[in-house]
Amino acid sequence: MNKTYLKLSLDLDFVLIAITASLKDYVLCHKINTNLNFEFCKIDDHEVYFNTDEAPLSFSKYYFFVEEGEQEYFLVSNRNSEGFLIPEMNKVDFFMVIHQFIDKEDLNFIISNLNKIPDIQVAAQIDVRKLKSKENLVM
């Protein structure tokens, strides 16, 4: 009997910024909104199924849309009381996911301004393809 295999291809066409900051999610959003003139708003939590027979884990998620360029920004928490969204990045508190094209100059502007916020220890771009748990970041 012939076997058929399903090959799953993930859409990893986004930019990922890891943020380390010991702040509540809503406080971090307020600081980002104030310092970068963003307009992050709370949306439904990001749910991830780690085991099919268990309930999903929920991570707080915020959304901001820029009409010019149709860029979507998500700010999602990396941790909750039960675990991590990306377990191999357990020192990171939040991820900023940017969908659609963003040029290098704009990306550098965002990262440098995030690093200027006093409560953020570090913000850095991460190569999504190198993460083991990259499928957890698909929004």
Side-chain angles (χ1 to χ4, degrees):
M1 175 175 237
N2 290 338
K3 291 184 180 181
T4 303
Y5 294 96
L6 177 64
K7 188 173 182 178
L8 181 62
S9 173
L10 296 175
D11 180 17
L12 300 175
D13 189 23
F14 57 85
V15 174
L16 183 66
I17 300 173
I19 300 172
T20 303
S22 56
L23 296 170
K24 297 282 188 188
D25 53 358
Y26 57 89
V27 175
L28 178 63
C29 278
H30 175 71
K31 290 182 180 284
I32 292 172
N33 286 346
T34 303
N35 288 291
L36 277 84
N37 293 322
F38 281 14
E39 295 178 15
F40 275 111
C41 295
K42 177 83 169 110
I43 58 173
D44 292 338
D45 287 349
H46 183 63
E47 293 186 340
V48 177
Y49 288 88
F50 286 97
N51 295 311
T52 54
D53 56 338
E54 294 178 10
L57 293 183
S58 295
F59 299 90
S60 64
K61 184 168 65 171
Y62 294 79
Y63 179 74
F64 170 52
F65 180 73
V66 178
E67 287 190 33
E68 182 181 316
E70 296 184 357
Q71 292 169 329
E72 292 182 301
Y73 294 80
F74 293 93
L75 184 70
V76 62
S77 177
N78 186 40
R79 60 181 78 219
N80 69 15
S81 60
E82 300 174 38
F84 294 93
L85 177 65
I86 306 294
E88 63 268 25
M89 302 280 299
N90 60 9
K91 302 286 189 238
V92 173
D93 297 306
F94 300 93
F95 290 105
M96 184 181 289
V97 179
I98 306 170
H99 287 272
Q100 295 300 338
F101 176 77
I102 183 167
D103 64 29
K104 200 68 170 164
E105 187 178 309
D106 290 342
L107 180 61
N108 289 337
F109 174 80
I110 291 171
I111 292 172
S112 68
N113 280 323
L114 285 172
N115 282 310
K116 288 177 186 174
I117 298 173
D119 295 307
I120 293 180
Q121 284 81 27
V122 68
Q125 184 178 0
I126 303 294
D127 186 357
V128 180
R129 296 167 295 184
K130 294 182 180 177
L131 296 176
K132 288 186 227 172
S133 308
K134 58 186 156 259
E135 65 276 356
N136 295 348
L137 291 167
V138 175
M139 303 286 164

